[in-house]
Amino acid sequence: MDDPSLQRNFKGHRDTVTSIDFNCNMKQIVTGAMDSCVMIWNLKPQMRAYRFVGHKDAVMSVQFSPSGRLVASASRDKTVRLWVPGVKGESTVFRAHTGTVRSINFSSDGQSLVTASDDKTVKVWTVHRQKFLFSLCQHINWVRCAKFSPDGRLIVSASDDRTVKIWDKNSRECIHSFCEHSGFVNCADFHPSGTCIAAGGTDNTVKVWDIRTNKLLQHYQVHSAVVNSLSFHSSGNYLITASNDSTLKILDLVEGRLLYTLHGHQGPATCVAFSRTGDHFASGGSDEQVMLWRTNFDGTDYREVLRLQKKTTSEEPDTFSTHNPAQTVGMLEQRMTLAENKLKECLLNQREINLHLQN
């Protein structure tokens, strides 16, 4: 298994890069930055980048629609813009919140948008005509991030009130609040299976919960500074994080350990994202650089698991895909349960030692 390798550097932003995403066609990357610009980078070297100007303040979040035909951006100017990612850079704009819009995310069907803001609310919109649908209002401080679950039925939000909340989109109710972070929570997202979430924040930690049992499954203290961003690999086996300690960390969720530490940015690494296929990832930082990396570890262990599964399920030889996260969920849950049991065992042993010392 080879280390991930840096493929290309993109320079064009004039301030900290805040957000990054891949087009599903793997031909473009979109970035937002504190310079108020949205940039589309064409991955073919001979094609120039597009710079989209329209926001009147820092761009905090960007994302391609699932089809790749639109780009959404959220800004400190309290607006959201929807762009056509072509030469003209045409956009529509709407005032989304009464405070900075920190985060924007498309539902997997491309029909809805969820936004998070310093006005302490999460809001859901239709993409068509950008019609406001409803607000989620239980956070008591800035909301840094909000994402739809893969099936679009749930929303996860992360806030400076130190909570991560799970919401039911249909009932518009908060199902559960996770309160284990001891600092502001900057980022959160759903595992591709939809059964787990991960979050990171100013306490320098990354936590993974099972949202069916509301149990903390994994706790990583691998960064020495604030965790700004995270992204799940499409297989569900890996999680990548970006931190103010200038590093990117790749976590092996199945083994529950740090796999790689990547040094590339000069200063805080502010955003990171895997491509839809998982073959690449991209990162941005306060050094104004956008970096494209090849994920050389992609699928190595996973394909072996699938090969063995195919052998035992020969009646359905074509049902397995190296990019189908559902295939690894059982294994991930099993390993996570084992890790949880080991943690319990360690805690019990520690208690026994403490009691022994007290006596």
Side-chain angles (χ1 to χ4, degrees):
M1 191 182 281
D2 298 323
D3 287 7
S5 57
L6 180 62
Q7 279 200 305
R8 284 177 68 190
N9 272 33
F10 300 94
K11 295 181 181 177
H13 280 297
R14 300 178 185 120
D15 206 336
T16 298
V17 182
T18 56
S19 183
I20 197 160
D21 191 36
F22 283 85
N23 195 328
C24 58
N25 65 15
M26 262 309 293
K27 293 178 181 176
Q28 294 176 317
I29 294 173
V30 62
T31 54
M34 299 296 283
D35 62 7
S36 308
C37 291
V38 173
M39 291 194 72
I40 305 280
W41 309 89
N42 290 295
L43 298 186
K44 289 183 178 178
Q46 67 272 23
M47 291 184 70
R48 67 182 182 86
Y50 306 138
R51 183 190 299 275
F52 296 161
V53 179
H55 284 295
K56 294 178 174 63
D57 208 333
V59 177
M60 308 307 294
S61 180
V62 291
Q63 193 193 19
F64 274 105
S65 65
S67 68
R69 294 185 192 128
L70 289 174
V71 166
S73 60
S75 172
R76 193 185 272 167
D77 67 12
K78 306 174 187 176
T79 71
V80 164
R81 282 182 179 262
L82 288 177
W83 310 81
V84 178
V87 179
K88 291 181 182 178
E90 297 167 323
S91 69
T92 60
V93 60
F94 63 98
R95 187 180 173 89
H97 288 269
T98 57
T100 295
V101 192
R102 295 271 170 191
S103 166
I104 193 158
N105 180 246
F106 282 96
S107 58
S108 57
D109 63 6
Q111 299 300 305
S112 302
L113 287 167
V114 62
T115 55
S117 171
D118 288 4
D119 65 13
K120 306 176 189 175
T121 70
V122 172
K123 293 187 177 184
V124 177
W125 312 79
T126 64
V127 173
H128 180 61
R129 296 184 181 174
Q130 297 90 61
K131 182 186 173 186
F132 169 72
L133 294 177
F134 58 87
S135 291
L136 305 171
C137 304
Q138 289 188 28
H139 282 295
I140 57 171
N141 207 334
W142 293 359
V143 189
R144 296 272 176 178
C145 179
K147 300 274 183 78
F148 284 109
S149 61
D151 64 9
R153 289 189 288 184
L154 301 174
I155 293 168
V156 64
S157 59
S159 169
D160 282 8
D161 64 12
R162 303 187 179 190
T163 71
V164 177
K165 294 184 186 293
I166 303 290
W167 309 82
D168 184 299
K169 182 174 176 277
N170 291 328
S171 69
R172 306 177 188 181
E173 292 179 355
C174 179
I175 299 170
H176 190 76
S177 291
F178 297 96
C179 306
E180 283 91 342
H181 277 284
S182 58
F184 301 161
V185 192
N186 288 330
C187 50
D189 203 359
F190 283 92
H191 184 271
S193 68
T195 62
C196 304
I197 57 166
T202 61
D203 60 4
N204 308 350
T205 70
V206 176
K207 299 180 194 292
V208 180
W209 292 274
D210 186 320
I211 62 169
R212 296 162 301 180
T213 60
N214 299 328
K215 285 184 178 177
L216 179 65
L217 295 177
Q218 294 181 336
H219 171 90
Y220 295 95
Q221 289 183 294
V222 292
H223 285 292
S224 58
V226 172
V227 179
N228 294 310
S229 177
L230 53 79
S231 177
F232 280 103
H233 188 265
S234 55
S235 69
N237 286 350
Y238 308 104
L239 183 71
I240 191 165
T241 56
S243 168
N244 276 3
D245 64 14
S246 305
T247 69
L248 307 174
K249 304 271 186 181
I250 297 176
L251 305 172
D252 184 330
L253 297 175
V254 179
E255 296 294 335
R257 66 186 178 93
L258 174 64
L259 195 60
Y260 297 116
T261 298
L262 302 173
H263 302 269
H265 289 284
Q266 305 298 311
T270 47
C271 53
V272 68
F274 276 114
S275 65
R276 303 294 200 272
T277 59
D279 297 329
H280 293 80
F281 59 93
S283 59
S286 64
D287 56 6
E288 303 172 10
Q289 291 196 79
V290 176
M291 296 184 176
L292 176 66
W293 308 74
R294 182 182 289 281
T295 313
N296 291 328
F297 62 84
D298 177 34
T300 306
D301 298 332
Y302 186 50
R303 287 193 186 99
E304 179 63 17
V305 170
L306 294 181
R307 190 182 66 78
L308 293 170
Q309 283 182 318
K310 276 189 177 184
K311 272 188 175 181
T312 58
T313 56
S314 53
E315 305 102 26
E316 299 179 15
D318 298 320
T319 56
F320 295 97
S321 159
T322 54
H323 298 306
N324 183 353
Q327 303 300 336
T328 56
V329 172
M331 182 173 67
L332 176 62
E333 288 166 359
Q334 189 179 359
R335 294 289 181 90
M336 284 180 164
T337 304
L338 287 171
E340 192 181 342
N341 290 339
K342 280 182 186 175
L343 180 62
K344 285 178 183 173
E345 191 180 325
C346 290
L347 289 169
L348 285 170
N349 288 341
Q350 190 61 48
R351 281 179 195 157
E352 286 178 15
I353 291 165
N354 290 341
L355 284 169
H356 179 71
L357 290 171
Q358 286 170 7
N359 295 332

